[in-house]
Amino acid sequence: MSSLSEFVRTAYEKSAAVRGMLTAAGLRPEDIRSRADLGRIPLLRKSELAQRQRSAPPFGGFLTVPEGELQRIFVSPGPIYDPQGSGPDFWRWGQALSAAGFARGDIVQNTFSYHLTPAGMMFDNALRRLGCTVIPAGVGNTELQVQIMREAGVTGYIGVPSFLYTLVKKAQELGYQNDIRLRKAWVAAEKLSEELRSIMARDFGIEVFQGYGTADLGCVAYECPARNGFHLAEGVIVEVVDPETGRALGPGQPGEVVVTLLEPTYPLLRFGTGDLGALTDVPCRCGQPGERLTGIFGRTVDGVKVKGLFLYPHQIEELRSRCTGVRFIQAQISQVDFRDVLLLKVELDQDENAAGTAAAVAQQAKEILRFTCRVETVPSGTFSDGDRNILDTRTWE
Ligand SMILES: [Zn+2]
């Protein structure tokens, strides 16, 4: 018997919610024997988790131990209750921070919130597990945080990328830059731009790593020193699925990141994150085997379905960035004779060689979007900065 089937059987026995969900789908625990069988279980949406928690507070019937055996109970926006079960690193972030080089001897300023939401405690626990010294700084207090960074000899930062930038700029402004020993930063919860990452390395000597997870799930995926996609964490099974059907998608196809949390205390089977990602089976340069997430591109709700395939804003942006001389592309979706039609309106930097550029865009679109589409160039100045790059004019009845 595989460890997955054993896990599902125990979850079924101990969690009323898991039992209810499997039964409603006409499944018995013995039906789930392999990873492929997981696909038979319907997705658990965050909204459904919140709803189940309202009707059976606090944990909606997912918790498999008495509340009094937990270390802590957190409350994320929603509100959604998040349990902290036993163990020194319950959310398994140690693997992510270790891959980023955090180790004994580091003095780390943890700027995630310690109040109600679990983020602060998640990383605090993982850092302590690795032997790091933690400054539980929390959010805000920019000037004080810079002073602490300088006086306490801080070597590592944990938090969101925008606050890292704020702190480093403030240190520079106060003339402290040469007194700061900060050399590594680990960020999450916000999009990290590659531009910010290279500014940090080039101008401040700080190497920035990132990871992906949620308050409900803990660590899901993280960067290794190659910083080329996210290795999947231990303790979870990650799928990328069609958000409508829940069916798993192949490597390279963007879809919803769905996570099965293999935590006996709080078994969440096929939790739909609503985050948009893609898997790759191309081996990482670091040599560690296994699938990786190539990135998190946004939220799945921003996608539209065209001719049976999903189309997302990040794909249009990728197409734009690959075509020289193109300032903006808007994908317009309409229906003609009940069939979807995809038209790319392309605004050029300069109104020259329009025909050649249009042909190049059509060629790239075939590759990146996997659609054959009509391309029309429009004069520069047609689109303004606030315009969306996907416009769906189909009417639904
Ligand atoms: Zn790697």
Side-chain angles (χ1 to χ4, degrees):
M1 193 181 249
S2 76
S3 58
L4 175 63
S5 62
E6 207 159 314
F7 174 79
V8 171
R9 187 175 48 76
T10 310
Y12 180 91
E13 281 165 11
K14 293 192 171 173
S15 154
V18 168
R19 196 159 55 241
M21 289 179 72
L22 289 185
T23 306
L27 294 169
R28 299 272 310 157
E30 53 270 24
D31 294 331
I32 311 302
R33 297 178 164 277
S34 66
R35 207 190 131 138
D37 295 332
L38 264 188
R40 301 173 64 183
I41 302 175
L43 298 189
L44 169 64
R45 299 278 174 192
K46 196 162 184 129
S47 54
E48 188 187 341
L49 178 61
Q51 210 173 3
R52 283 177 174 273
Q53 290 194 346
R54 288 296 79 67
S55 41
F59 293 108
F62 286 99
L63 197 69
T64 60
V65 298
E67 281 83 16
E69 283 183 21
L70 296 173
Q71 295 197 63
R72 292 180 184 83
I73 294 174
F74 291 92
V75 190
S76 298
I80 289 194
Y81 289 97
D82 300 310
Q84 181 184 4
S86 60
D89 181 15
F90 176 71
W91 297 279
R92 304 160 287 102
W93 283 109
Q95 54 192 319
L97 302 184
S98 172
F102 285 78
R104 181 173 298 278
D106 273 320
I107 299 172
V108 184
Q109 198 151 334
N110 181 12
T111 67
F112 276 119
S113 170
Y114 280 72
H115 280 148
L116 285 178
T117 60
M121 197 60 72
M122 281 183 169
F123 297 104
D124 195 299
N125 283 194
L127 290 164
R128 288 296 309 130
R129 183 84 203 269
L130 296 176
C132 301
T133 300
V134 185
I135 301 175
V139 296
N141 303 310
T142 304
E143 288 218 11
L144 177 60
Q145 295 239 19
V146 171
Q147 187 185 344
I148 295 167
M149 200 168 262
R150 173 174 171 243
E151 292 176 350
V154 167
T155 60
Y157 166 93
I158 304 270
V160 293
S162 58
F163 193 53
L164 171 66
Y165 186 66
T166 301
L167 289 181
V168 168
K169 291 301 279 186
K170 182 55 96 179
Q172 192 178 38
E173 184 190 312
L174 296 172
Y176 293 167
Q177 203 185 327
N178 295 332
D179 309 333
I180 300 275
R181 293 173 57 207
L182 183 64
R183 290 297 168 263
K184 52 183 164 256
W186 193 94
V187 301
E190 268 181 15
K191 185 175 163 53
L192 168 65
S193 78
E194 288 306 318
E195 191 190 356
L196 178 63
R197 172 135 70 186
S198 55
I199 289 172
M200 283 296 147
R202 191 190 60 218
D203 298 349
F204 302 97
I206 300 169
E207 295 298 328
V208 184
F209 289 75
Q210 60 181 331
Y212 169 65
T214 73
D216 329 84
L217 302 164
C219 182
V220 173
Y222 57 88
E223 287 181 338
C224 69
R227 286 182 285 184
N228 171 35
F230 299 70
H231 288 283
L232 304 183
E234 282 176 25
V236 289
I237 295 175
V238 178
E239 301 169 86
V240 168
V241 309
D242 179 321
E244 272 177 20
T245 64
R247 212 167 297 142
L249 298 169
Q253 284 182 271
E256 181 170 7
V257 178
V258 166
V259 179
T260 294
L261 177 61
L262 300 170
E263 168 51 56
T265 311
Y266 193 56
L268 298 179
L269 305 184
R270 300 198 87 215
F271 183 74
T273 61
D275 292 321
L276 177 66
L279 288 169
T280 176
D281 49 11
V282 176
C284 182
R285 289 198 294 273
C286 75
Q288 190 181 324
E291 282 184 310
R292 289 172 296 140
L293 278 172
T294 53
I296 298 295
F297 313 121
R299 299 286 293 169
T300 54
V301 288
D302 297 329
V304 294
K305 211 163 194 179
V306 185
K307 299 180 193 176
L309 288 174
F310 277 97
L311 181 68
Y312 294 103
H314 82 276
Q315 294 174 295
I316 306 296
E317 177 50 28
E318 188 185 344
L319 174 63
R320 188 205 59 78
S321 69
R322 284 224 215 151
C323 302
T324 44
V326 173
R327 199 191 77 81
F328 192 80
I329 297 178
Q330 186 176 63
Q332 298 187 347
I333 304 136
S334 58
Q335 268 195 337
V336 176
D337 295 334
F338 309 107
R339 291 173 61 176
D340 293 339
V341 174
L342 180 58
L343 169 67
L344 298 179
K345 292 255 188 182
V346 177
E347 183 180 323
L348 308 174
D349 280 334
Q350 291 166 343
D351 299 324
E352 284 167 18
N353 189 25
T357 308
V361 171
Q363 184 57 39
Q364 287 282 335
K366 243 186 233 174
E367 207 173 293
I368 298 169
L369 311 180
R370 291 166 294 132
F371 284 110
T372 304
C373 21
R374 216 148 58 76
V375 177
E376 246 178 55
T377 54
V378 296
S380 52
T382 303
F383 293 110
S384 53
D385 285 348
D387 282 336
R388 293 165 56 91
N389 65 8
I390 295 181
L391 183 69
D392 189 354
T393 62
R394 292 171 295 184
T395 49
W396 305 98
E397 296 179 3

